[in-house]
Amino acid sequence: MRPVYFIAGGMTKFAKANQHKDFRAMVKEAFDYAMADVPNLTLDMIDGSVASYFSDHFTRQLKAASMVQDYLGLCPKPSRRHEGGGATGGLCFQTAWESVASGRMDICVAFGFETMSRVNTWKGNEFIALASDTNFDYPVGGFYTGYYAMMVRRHMHEFGTTVEQMAMVSVKNHGNALHNPWAQFPMKLTVEDVRNSEMVADPLTRLDICVMSDGAAVCILCSEDALEKYDLCDRPVKVTGIGCGTDTMRLADRPRHGVILLPHESPDDYRHLEYPGVHSFRAGRMAAKQAYEMAGITNPLEELDFVELHDAYTSSEIQTYEDLGLCKYGEGGRFIEEGHSTLTGKVPVNPSGGLLACGHPVGATGLMQAVMALWQLQGTIGKHCGGDATLQIPDARRGLIHSHAGTGTYVTCTILERGF
Amino acid sequence: MRPVYFIAGGMTKFAKANQHKDFRAMVKEAFDYAMADVPNLTLDMIDGSVASYFSDHFTRQLKAASMVQDYLGLCPKPSRRHEGGGATGGLCFQTAWESVASGRMDICVAFGFETMSRVNTWKGNEFIALASDTNFDYPVGGFYTGYYAMMVRRHMHEFGTTVEQMAMVSVKNHGNALHNPWAQFPMKLTVEDVRNSEMVADPLTRLDICVMSDGAAVCILCSEDALEKYDLCDRPVKVTGIGCGTDTMRLADRPRHGVILLPHESPDDYRHLEYPGVHSFRAGRMAAKQAYEMAGITNPLEELDFVELHDAYTSSEIQTYEDLGLCKYGEGGRFIEEGHSTLTGKVPVNPSGGLLACGHPVGATGLMQAVMALWQLQGTIGKHCGGDATLQIPDARRGLIHSHAGTGTYVTCTILERGF
């Protein structure tokens, strides 16, 4: 496989009500930021782009990505849009990788955006609910927080996971974001604050849940040839693992047996599980397995220096610790409680603040994670976070980014490593 | 570059009001048809899929592609959706190529679908109008047939193209479809019939314009390794050229100077053109240029045995003859009048009947073109068209498929060649 490098990234601050800003202007801001980081790269050297936004319903502008292409000055070069619910950004990054790995492009821009505040919250929630099965789940009032509440209820029943453990995820991520100027909701919280915030779907409170947001993010990927030929970047990051999994739309259709095993696991680890399909994400397992196999990772807890994962809910961060094999199924609650995922833990998870604190402008989110991971691996968190290097993982050499849609309908895992 | 082969395809009949059919069932029908053509291929050998549908507005089901993935039995394998207006199918095919060419997958399924009859025609037209600029063009009543009418008016003014020449495209394509059992509107027409049908946007009549449709199409691509290892297909078709171009959303923003030259053209060919950006599609030029360069085509008229192109309007078929370099700018009208694009002409264009006669279920259309092209190159048109081999181009060795969005916002060209 042709090596692919990730050389620059940019984003806007994620925020509610960027209504005054056109999505084009938001992407341009992120693009200019990325370009400024690789001064030897000029517009004419870019071969094309891949775009990421979630739903026509939010933009009420079809083919919105083509307007961004023009605004960035990339016409008449190739482009196309990718979508897969909450995993849209992760899928887009992987397609940019394919564009370069296939030899079709030498330099490819991945851009993502969302302008969710164009619609009111009620309407926005209705649109998001349309990403569940509109024949079976939506008509009876199904909505996303409800699905996640059901899943974590099973997790609590099966493994004794507690609401306090979930709250600890919120405390950690909002706290990390205090040092991330790009985040929407930096907050110093306590477990009590999280539990005392409004109940949305028992046991999930408002502070267990990420919010809609406006924002954009941009990643620039290139081939080894281009990297060397144009002397583009002295701290390139290499994409060493790509994984993606899918699952049924409806929870009720999930298989009840057959855990997908990660490279370091054996069938004996999970013989005792009654319903492995309900409290966990099969697609996440598949994505992790593929990415680990490609990157040669056999002990993720030891071999990953940090993880940026899709914590749309505090519960899904706990579930995802397990899906990624950072701990065994059922041990996710203890994993956060014992502090393993804090900034100074065994494997810092969501140093950026994650979706919970950064906000979740869907099409941009997965690319924002990639940008934060790039800066971690380049050792430039301080430079890009207004001089505050608190979030910098010392000597970070390998990280994982994880993007997730629906109730685990699409999940991506991508492994990034220092290439310098 | 890793060679990529196209080994099997299937589709549903394109039709209005497949309302009784779920989009999943439609794709499954097309998928089963494709799988039946490569009996050595089993579900477990497939590495993943790429999906294609146009707008959430038509399905009113977000992440619809993930439900198809499940229905085909492809969970938990990788998948993602691609979109780019009318070029959605063409973009999806090219991404499937990338997935294999990059080494990520050995066997990849591209599936596309649309269920446009889920909404009424008025609503459907409104949704399609949202694929124009919703700040500038849509609010003043801009709609697609109007934009195409403006473009062809300029073409007529500049080059003397006639409405009768446009009608000849409709007569040809609807006539070809008399031998294509998959087409929605096979019709024996005269130039008078076309001109006497209802005027939609002067000079375009109802029979100058394709219609909304329901349908699905599936393409299966594989690597050389997989092809040989599993003995998948004795008539594989090789993907030898991939091109994609983009342009501004608004016609008013198109550049007025600077024709993109194809490999066989010189600047002298077009020095006389006042407004090369208005009567033609810059993105189409870019797509053709890239595809020709990759496939080593220096004389498309001689080197292509047939073309399946995006004739959403009779006028755009004429414009596209020129963009593909089958003739010079301004000569497209004469090209059809002189019969060069008929079944027995120099380069048969739209032997399938094109969008005009097959219908245009957006996400499926570009893949339908690919399937028809596959069968042409395999020499199996008769087998797949109910025993009627009228449309078979004798000894077809190389063809081009062309997919087109908006007013030329995204355009793809893909070159397919016999690989046996």
Side-chain angles (χ1 to χ4, degrees), chain B residues 298-380:
Chain B
T298 52
N299 185 343
L301 186 61
E302 295 302 318
E303 295 174 56
L304 293 172
D305 295 319
F306 67 92
V307 169
E308 287 284 346
L309 68 80
H310 193 98
D311 57 328
Y313 301 90
T314 53
S315 51
S316 50
E317 175 159 328
I318 287 174
Q319 291 166 294
T320 301
Y321 296 153
E322 301 170 5
D323 288 333
L324 299 181
L326 303 177
C327 59
K328 283 192 185 179
Y329 274 136
E331 296 177 0
R334 221 166 60 220
F335 194 77
I336 173 76
E337 188 162 2
E338 291 174 356
H340 301 313
S341 55
T342 61
L343 273 186
T344 53
K346 280 186 185 171
V347 54
V349 174
N350 287 326
S352 69
L355 282 61
L356 283 167
C358 292
H360 183 19
V362 182
T365 303
L367 296 174
M368 172 281 284
Q369 295 173 316
V371 173
M372 290 301 293
L374 172 74
W375 294 342
Q376 286 287 4
L377 295 164
Q378 291 185 323
T380 55

Side-chain angles (χ1 to χ4, degrees), chain A residues 55-56 77 80 82 95 246, chain B residues 55-56 77 80 82 95 246:
Chain A
S55 174
D56 303 338
K77 294 169 180 178
R80 74 211 119 125
H82 296 257
T95 300
T246 53
Chain B
S55 174
D56 303 338
K77 296 170 180 178
R80 74 211 119 125
H82 297 256
T95 300
T246 53

Side-chain angles (χ1 to χ4, degrees), chain A residues 1-2 22 24 47 50-51 53-67 69-70 74-86 91-92 94-105 118 126-128 130-136 138 144 242-249 253 260 282-283 286 290 405-407 409-410, chain B residues 1-2 22 24 47 50-51 53-67 69-70 74-86 91-92 94-105 118 126-128 130-136 138 144 242-249 253 260 282-283 286 290 405-407 409-410:
Chain A
M1 269 179 202
R2 213 164 96 107
D22 191 277
R24 285 169 282 207
D47 294 308
V50 293
Y53 70 96
F54 172 38
S55 174
D56 303 338
H57 288 307
F58 285 107
T59 49
R60 205 173 157 77
Q61 168 66 69
L62 276 61
K63 294 201 283 100
S66 73
M67 298 165 80
Q69 176 80 356
D70 177 27
L74 293 176
C75 286
K77 294 169 180 178
S79 186
R80 74 211 119 125
R81 170 207 178 189
H82 296 257
E83 187 267 329
L91 292 164
C92 177
Q94 297 194 341
T95 300
W97 173 85
E98 282 186 5
S99 288
V100 177
S102 67
R104 181 183 187 181
M105 296 188 193
R118 280 193 171 202
E126 189 196 333
F127 292 157
I128 291 174
L130 289 171
S132 62
D133 190 307
T134 58
N135 289 311
F136 287 91
Y138 178 83
Y144 267 88
I242 290 279
C244 174
T246 53
D247 210 339
T248 68
M249 182 70 101
D253 293 336
I260 293 170
R282 179 170 60 147
M286 185 66 173
Q290 289 183 348
T407 52
T409 323
Y410 295 105
Chain B
M1 270 179 202
R2 213 164 95 107
D22 191 276
R24 286 169 282 208
D47 294 308
V50 292
Y53 69 96
F54 172 40
S55 174
D56 303 338
H57 289 307
F58 286 106
T59 50
R60 206 173 157 78
Q61 167 66 69
L62 275 59
K63 293 202 283 101
S66 74
M67 299 166 79
Q69 175 81 354
D70 178 26
L74 293 177
C75 286
K77 296 170 180 178
S79 186
R80 74 211 119 125
R81 169 205 178 192
H82 297 256
E83 187 267 330
L91 293 163
C92 177
Q94 297 194 340
T95 300
W97 173 85
E98 282 186 5
S99 289
V100 177
S102 68
R104 180 183 187 180
M105 297 188 192
R118 280 192 170 203
E126 189 195 333
F127 292 156
I128 291 174
L130 289 171
S132 63
D133 190 308
T134 59
N135 289 312
F136 288 91
Y138 178 83
Y144 267 88
I242 290 278
C244 175
T246 53
D247 210 338
T248 68
M249 182 70 101
D253 292 337
I260 292 170
R282 179 170 60 147
M286 185 65 172
Q290 289 185 348
T407 51
T409 323
Y410 294 106

Side-chain angles (χ1 to χ4, degrees), chain B residues 11 13-15 173-174 177 180 182-186 210-214 308 311 350-361 365 368 372:
Chain B
M11 59 180 132
K13 184 176 165 65
F14 286 4
N173 292 359
H174 284 98
N180 178 1
W182 307 93
Q184 183 166 352
F185 283 119
C210 73
V211 294
M212 287 191 264
S213 184
D214 296 352
E308 287 284 346
D311 57 328
N350 287 326
S352 69
L355 282 61
L356 283 167
C358 292
H360 183 19
T365 303
M368 172 281 284
M372 290 301 293

